Amino acid sequence: PRLRVPMLAALATLALAAALASSQAELLGITEQVALESISPSSGATKPIGGPVSYELQAQGLSTVDSATGTYFLLGFNSSSTRANLVGINIASGMVTTDIAMPFAESAFVGVGQSIDVDPTDGNIFAGGRMETHGPHVIGKIDIKSGKFTPIASLNATFLPVLGAATAFIPNTRQLFVQLGTASAIDIFGVNVETGKITKIPQDPEEGRVLTTMALDAKTRSLIGLGVKPSNGTLERTLVRLDPVSHSYTTVGDIPAWLVESGGESALDTFSRTLYWIGQPTGAKPTDPFHLVGLNADTGAVVSSPLLCATDAACPWSIGVSNE
């Protein structure tokens, strides 16, 4: 009897250790052939997961991962219907599990101004885009079972010079953040997805107050992403946090050795506290290869940078992390 409590404590400790050991993150990407692949953060080696979605064309940067269901969602351009489709791909098999035609109008540049982000509380998808070619930007929610799109808010962002992907959703405050262009600037819009209330957070690249990629960092309850600032007559890459309540920007760290990014994409591994993005060293030529750069999310220090792709076109058109 005297051994029972220590034994139970030991078993509990072992169970906790096993649970922590089983927790892992997988870095994923969508290839130029519109196929899912697994990416090694340490070596940059890629491994295909299933085959290509043959009827979809690229929409750069438009992806989100539902870790709970093991689904990688992308917003592609259906070459048959000439409309955008929401496609869900099973992370384990590479099989398409969701295929929903979207109501968005396309511009000459596929996917520009569009965005998607998963709601982890129910597995449905927030999406944004123009319902009309010259209309406002509409944020809505897609029921992935019925395919119904329910509008939430209309944003005064008719000039859309940015790619999608710079989005983040905070479940506990029900706030969705998306970076879009207006007539005079590129700002961050916050939308309360329950009430439709809109707030606008200005960006100022000249002062380093800008996010060129965006991810939710649940640990610090902030938005985190790549930034850029003027430095000695040129530009310098930075890692930046944005407080979603005070709207204040904080530079986590400078990244002088790396500058050019591919696709406006980054993905946060919440277990290793690493933010991954695809980029080139400072001073590289456009024809030089691209690397998978890993940044310490708390300091901005470069922790890894393996070679990933020989050309920009050969790089993944979107990346995401399945944090399980």
Side-chain angles (χ1 to χ4, degrees):
R2 288 178 295 178
L3 294 175
R4 182 172 297 172
V5 173
M7 181 64 72
L8 289 175
L11 289 173
T13 301
L14 288 173
L16 176 60
L20 291 175
S22 65
S23 298
Q24 58 182 344
E26 183 177 12
L27 184 62
L28 304 158
I30 294 292
T31 70
E32 60 179 332
Q33 291 82 27
V34 197
L36 186 64
E37 65 181 0
S38 177
I39 306 171
S40 169
S42 59
S43 69
T46 60
K47 179 181 179 181
I49 305 174
V53 184
S54 58
Y55 54 86
E56 294 290 337
L57 298 178
Q58 306 286 46
Q60 189 166 5
L62 299 174
S63 67
T64 186
V65 179
D66 185 353
S67 298
T69 63
T71 307
Y72 192 107
F73 289 97
L74 65 98
L75 199 59
F77 178 75
N78 189 296
S79 55
S80 299
S81 67
T82 67
R83 303 286 286 192
N85 273 26
L86 175 69
V87 177
I89 303 175
N90 183 277
I91 292 171
S93 67
M95 299 294 292
V96 173
T97 57
T98 302
D99 191 350
I100 299 171
M102 300 297 294
F104 300 146
E106 292 290 350
S107 67
F109 298 97
V110 173
V112 169
Q114 295 176 3
S115 60
I116 57 173
D117 221 317
V118 68
D119 182 349
T121 65
D122 61 14
N124 292 319
I125 303 293
F126 296 110
R130 281 172 160 173
M131 307 290 280
E132 303 172 5
T133 303
H134 300 290
H137 188 94
V138 177
I139 296 291
K141 194 171 189 180
I142 307 161
D143 185 313
I144 61 169
K145 292 183 179 178
S146 67
K148 181 181 179 181
F149 177 82
T150 303
I152 296 172
S154 180
L155 307 181
N156 184 24
T158 55
F159 178 60
L160 306 173
V162 294
L163 294 170
T167 63
F169 175 61
I170 305 178
N172 62 329
T173 62
R174 309 302 293 166
Q175 290 281 326
L176 178 70
F177 295 89
V178 57
Q179 185 188 71
L180 292 169
T182 63
S184 58
I186 298 176
D187 294 315
I188 295 173
F189 291 82
V191 178
N192 184 304
V193 298
E194 302 299 333
T195 66
K197 181 180 178 181
I198 301 168
T199 57
K200 188 165 73 170
I201 306 174
Q203 300 195 111
D204 187 352
E206 292 299 317
E207 297 296 329
R209 294 192 292 269
V210 62
L211 288 172
T212 61
T213 72
M214 199 186 310
L216 169 64
D217 184 358
K219 178 184 176 181
T220 61
R221 299 181 181 180
S222 65
L223 308 181
I224 187 170
L226 297 178
V228 68
K229 69 176 184 179
S231 177
N232 298 320
T234 184
L235 295 176
E236 184 175 285
R237 184 62 61 189
T238 56
L239 182 66
V240 176
R241 289 192 185 280
L242 171 60
D243 187 309
V245 178
S246 67
H247 298 173
S248 60
Y249 293 84
T250 301
T251 299
V252 178
D254 297 332
I255 317 168
W258 299 86
L259 180 59
V260 176
E261 61 169 304
S262 173
E265 275 284 287
S266 66
L268 178 64
D269 180 339
T270 58
F271 295 111
S272 68
R273 305 288 302 150
T274 305
L275 186 83
Y276 294 104
W277 59 288
I278 303 169
Q280 288 180 313
T282 300
K285 301 187 295 293
T287 55
D288 286 345
F290 284 74
H291 297 248
L292 178 65
V293 186
L295 303 177
N296 183 303
D298 299 309
T299 66
V302 177
V303 296
S304 58
S305 57
L307 187 67
L308 181 62
C309 33
T311 64
D312 193 15
C315 292
W317 278 50
S318 70
I319 57 174
V321 172
S322 176
N323 291 293
E324 299 179 319

